[in-house]
Amino acid sequence: MSCVRAVRGLAPVCGFQPLTVLSRGVSFSPRQVASDASFHSVSFSESDHPRVLITGGLGQLGVGLAKLLRKQFGKYNVILSDIRKPPAHVYQSGPFIYSDILDYKNLREIVVNNRISWLIHYSVLLSAVGEANVSLARDVNITGLHNILDITAEHGLRLFIPSTIGAFGPTSPRDPTPDLCIQRPRTIYGVSKVHAELMGEYYHHRYGLDFRCLRYPGIISADSQPGRGTTDYAVQIFHDAVKAGRFVCNLRPDTRLPMMFIDDCLRATLEVLEAPPETLGMRTYNISALSFTPEELVQEIRRHLPDLQVTYEIDPVRQAIADSWPMVLDDSSARSDWGWKHNYGLPELVQTMLNFTGSDSRKARAK
């Protein structure tokens, strides 16, 4: 997902720019059509492969998903977009274009000119970052979402929007958390994701939009630097363990949260996008692989790095967020409806992460 550190009036980053007064200047809105209207989605009989646009593409997941989709559908059928200048290796790996989700006209032109049939919407402000700038998070996470919904409905696209464990709150059942239960999150990130789930399902039922959504757990990846999210300790610990042999954790050692290795996350996203509509018993699914605490993660890492030193300096903001989130996600519906199955347990995840971060550390020392 694409995250943000800009404020109004400063340079834009990660999939949007500082707000201006927007004028859509188009004739279509789902609110202007009959309630029984439906929209035609491009089928695979009309096109050998989908034409895919990924918004917020320079975030944690966009580049990896583009790589997976290009293997499946062809290099030039998957377009990454963001408002930041891409690194050379990303720019050279396949199509990349500028796209601002708050610029309705720009986004609509991209969809039309590139004959987009699938849109994957990753532009968002994450949990701790959003709490530091609620107004900006509201604009990006909600106003940007509305632009995406209107354009995808108008042009009959298949729309994937990730949700999150942050869509649940302290009154939700935590162990396990089912697909359908009370959702009263206490962060703007979580509130905006509940809004996205409900709006996507509303557009599906009222306008026939092919909306699909997975509630991601904490995603662990060696390919991107950890941000400031609540679950990012589970990425930072590998970098610090390899480079310094010590780590400071900002959550309590017994804080259990659902997690997933990025390869499983990207594969799940492709699988739900490819699933035949008739197999989808719902439009928003929990998805998970494992749940662990910082202490359990430390013990597994110490099997490989026994001298790792860990101290706990609790961040009250992040701890409060973690305490309001699920401890275990029930993803049995995804497993039964479209055959979801994870590949990485905790031992496999730790071994893979240490291999990646250890390799990167050796390369850095060799320079």
Side-chain angles (χ1 to χ4, degrees):
M1 294 183 187
S2 185
C3 61
V4 181
R5 59 179 177 81
V7 296
R8 294 173 192 254
L10 297 183
V13 296
C14 298
F16 65 94
Q17 63 186 23
L19 289 182
T20 57
V21 177
L22 300 177
S23 175
R24 294 190 174 183
V26 295
S27 60
F28 171 86
S29 167
R31 292 179 290 277
Q32 297 171 343
V33 300
S35 61
D36 61 350
S38 62
F39 296 93
H40 173 66
S41 294
V42 175
S43 69
F44 289 103
S45 62
E46 297 169 355
S47 174
D48 290 338
H49 295 299
R51 295 274 296 168
V52 185
L53 175 67
I54 302 175
T55 67
L58 296 183
Q60 181 187 19
L61 299 176
V63 174
L65 185 61
K67 183 178 179 180
L68 179 64
L69 295 180
R70 284 165 178 163
K71 288 181 179 178
Q72 188 85 356
F73 304 129
K75 177 178 179 179
Y76 296 103
N77 285 318
V78 180
I79 302 173
L80 269 179
S81 71
D82 210 304
I83 69 159
R84 292 183 295 161
K85 181 180 178 181
H89 73 278
V90 172
Y91 185 76
Q92 294 164 4
S93 65
F96 180 93
I97 58 176
Y98 172 92
S99 176
D100 175 6
I101 64 167
L102 294 180
D103 187 337
Y104 185 90
K105 183 175 183 292
N106 167 250
L107 192 60
R108 194 167 184 256
E109 287 174 349
I110 290 169
V111 167
V112 171
N113 291 344
N114 293 280
R115 301 180 62 252
I116 299 300
S117 53
W118 288 8
L119 194 150
I120 298 165
H121 181 47
Y122 274 152
S123 294
V124 72
L125 263 69
L126 299 179
S127 55
V129 181
E131 291 306 290
N133 196 331
V134 172
S135 177
L136 188 59
R138 184 183 64 235
D139 293 333
V140 174
N141 296 5
I142 295 177
T143 302
L145 166 75
H146 293 174
N147 289 342
I148 294 289
L149 286 169
D150 283 357
I151 290 167
T152 54
E154 176 186 4
H155 295 286
L157 276 58
R158 180 169 296 179
L159 173 62
F160 176 82
I161 299 178
S163 189
T164 168
I165 54 174
F168 299 103
T171 54
S172 305
R174 298 185 65 213
D175 187 11
T177 303
D179 289 293
L180 300 176
C181 66
I182 189 169
Q183 293 176 258
R184 291 293 184 272
R186 293 184 178 177
T187 66
I188 186 60
Y189 175 57
V191 169
S192 67
K193 283 302 185 181
V194 174
H195 179 74
E197 293 176 12
L198 294 176
M199 288 296 290
E201 292 178 13
Y202 173 79
Y203 271 58
H204 169 68
H205 291 297
R206 175 142 188 183
Y207 303 116
L209 175 65
D210 191 353
F211 168 76
R212 304 176 184 214
C213 177
L214 296 178
R215 294 190 186 108
Y216 289 160
I219 305 302
I220 299 176
S221 168
D223 293 332
S224 59
Q225 290 298 311
R228 291 184 288 163
T230 303
T231 60
D232 279 339
Y233 85 88
V235 178
Q236 187 67 56
I237 189 172
F238 290 99
H239 294 275
D240 291 359
V242 169
K243 294 177 181 177
R246 65 180 65 90
F247 174 66
V248 178
C249 184
N250 54 30
L251 296 180
R252 290 192 316 267
D254 63 345
T255 305
R256 184 172 301 278
L257 291 168
M259 300 285 185
M260 178 181 285
F261 187 57
I262 189 169
D263 288 9
D264 277 341
C265 174
L266 299 179
R267 181 171 54 83
T269 303
L270 175 58
E271 288 178 2
V272 77
L273 277 164
E274 290 191 305
E278 62 272 14
T279 67
L280 301 178
M282 57 187 70
R283 290 286 158 166
T284 300
Y285 286 91
N286 288 347
I287 196 76
S288 191
L290 64 160
S291 294
F292 55 76
T293 67
E295 180 59 28
E296 290 170 350
L297 179 58
V298 168
Q299 292 304 318
E300 186 63 34
I301 294 173
R302 280 179 175 158
R303 293 179 58 189
H304 304 269
L305 300 173
D307 295 329
L308 173 63
Q309 300 175 21
V310 177
T311 56
Y312 293 89
E313 297 180 4
I314 311 307
D315 179 334
V317 174
R318 285 175 173 79
Q319 187 65 56
I321 292 171
D323 288 342
S324 73
W325 284 356
M327 299 168 66
V328 178
L329 278 179
D330 177 1
D331 62 355
S332 56
S333 294
R335 294 175 186 270
S336 62
D337 285 3
W338 43 276
W340 162 242
K341 183 179 180 181
H342 69 278
N343 289 334
Y344 289 82
L346 186 57
E348 295 83 8
L349 184 152
V350 167
Q351 181 68 69
T352 303
M353 286 293 293
L354 288 174
N355 288 344
F356 272 112
T357 53
S359 174
D360 288 347
S361 181
R362 288 190 295 271
K363 289 177 181 176
R365 287 195 298 266
K367 289 182 179 180

